[in-house]
């Protein structure tokens, strides 16, 4: 039986930290769905369509990875719908742990058949977050070592457009 996992998140935008988790995830699962959902507590810089497009460009090297969008649906329900038995999440710091731990508890309560698996990224990517990358790009800093090239370009365009608006 094939092992299917979902990797849910905001991916606003996708970073090399996310890609590192994906790279590790494909070694463990036959199919990995990156699931873009609305995080109600976050305002995003990129639209859902923009984020999906950036992810698609960033994952061309991975055959068994696909990107999907979840609309107003519980993560565990989405997992069930696509036949996934695992929710993959990344862990960076102790702060991540507290949030991720409660989230995984809630998901386990909602559906005990779905397990949350945590992976840590390479040391080099451990401090990386989408928010940090956006902050650097906003002030015209070089983000090329933090994100795939398509994202670096999109960030430049986004902030130039915002300045001109
Ligand atoms: P969310 O809004 O659901 O937290 P994110 O896109 O910020 O979505 O993150 C999705 C997942 O990827 C989370 O589990 C987060 O901890 C993980 N993640 C993000 N960046 C990194 C990184 N640099 N190293 C390890 N995990 C990461």
């Amino acid at each position: 039986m094939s092992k299917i996992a979902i990797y849910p998140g905001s991916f606003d935008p996708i970073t090399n930290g996310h890609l590192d988790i994906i790279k590790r995830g494909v070694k463990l699962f036959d199919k990995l769905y990156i699931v873009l959902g609305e995080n109600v507590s976050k305002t995003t810089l990129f639209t859902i369509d923009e984020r999906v497009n950036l992810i698609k460009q960033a994952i061309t090297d991975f055959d068994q990875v696909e990107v999907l969008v979840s609309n107003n649906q519980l993560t565990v329900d989405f997992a069930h719908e696509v036949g996934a038995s695992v929710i993959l999440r990344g862990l960076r710091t102790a702060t991540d742990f507290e949030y991720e731990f409660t989230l995984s508890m809630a998901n386990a309560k909602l559906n005990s058949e779905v397990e949350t698996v945590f992976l840590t990224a390479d040391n080099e990517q451990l401090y990386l977050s989408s928010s940090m990358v956006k902050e650097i790009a906003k002030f015209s800093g070089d983000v090329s070592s933090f994100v795939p090239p398509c994202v670096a370009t999109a960030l430049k365009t986004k902030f130039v457009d915002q300045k001109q608006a």
Side-chain angles (χ1 to χ4, degrees):
M1 221 177 82
S2 65
K3 268 270 161 228
I4 305 171
I6 61 168
Y7 179 28
S10 315
F11 303 98
D12 184 45
I14 189 163
T15 68
N16 290 343
H18 293 122
L19 283 170
D20 193 295
I21 297 296
I22 293 165
K23 187 183 81 190
R24 289 162 201 276
V26 294
K27 291 187 202 151
L28 303 173
F29 308 107
D30 304 305
K31 182 89 197 176
L32 181 61
Y33 292 111
I34 300 175
V35 181
L36 250 167
E38 288 292 355
N39 182 332
V40 283
S41 56
K42 281 186 184 175
T43 329
T44 60
L45 176 67
F46 291 99
T47 65
I48 286 264
D49 285 348
E50 287 171 332
R51 284 179 275 153
V52 165
N53 274 329
L54 292 172
I55 295 172
K56 279 187 178 161
Q57 290 175 65
I59 58 168
T60 49
D61 285 349
F62 305 106
D63 288 341
Q64 71 263 54
V65 183
E66 222 177 288
V67 54
L68 299 173
V69 175
S70 150
N71 291 312
N72 300 321
Q73 213 175 352
L74 286 173
T75 306
V76 284
D77 291 344
F78 194 90
H80 182 73
E81 207 170 285
V82 297
S85 54
V86 169
I87 297 172
L88 175 64
R89 295 284 289 179
L91 276 183
R92 284 163 293 195
T93 56
T95 329
D96 264 357
F97 177 78
E98 280 200 25
Y99 172 70
E100 295 290 340
F101 182 69
T102 34
L103 199 64
S104 72
M105 287 291 159
N107 283 330
K109 201 95 188 131
L110 290 166
N111 186 341
S112 58
E113 308 266 290
V114 181
E115 292 292 344
T116 300
V117 168
F118 298 109
L119 291 177
T120 45
D122 192 83
N123 270 347
E124 290 244 331
Q125 326 287 352
L126 266 187
Y127 58 91
L128 248 181
S129 69
S130 299
S131 336
M132 188 196 85
V133 163
K134 284 183 279 191
E135 202 63 26
I136 296 172
K138 187 175 174 181
F139 299 107
S140 312
D142 179 13
V143 293
S144 58
S145 57
F146 308 136
V147 292
C150 60
V151 173
T153 309
L155 280 165
K156 251 187 210 155
T157 314
K158 188 63 99 178
F159 286 116
V160 167
D161 285 354
Q162 279 193 353
K163 272 178 199 154
Q164 284 169 354

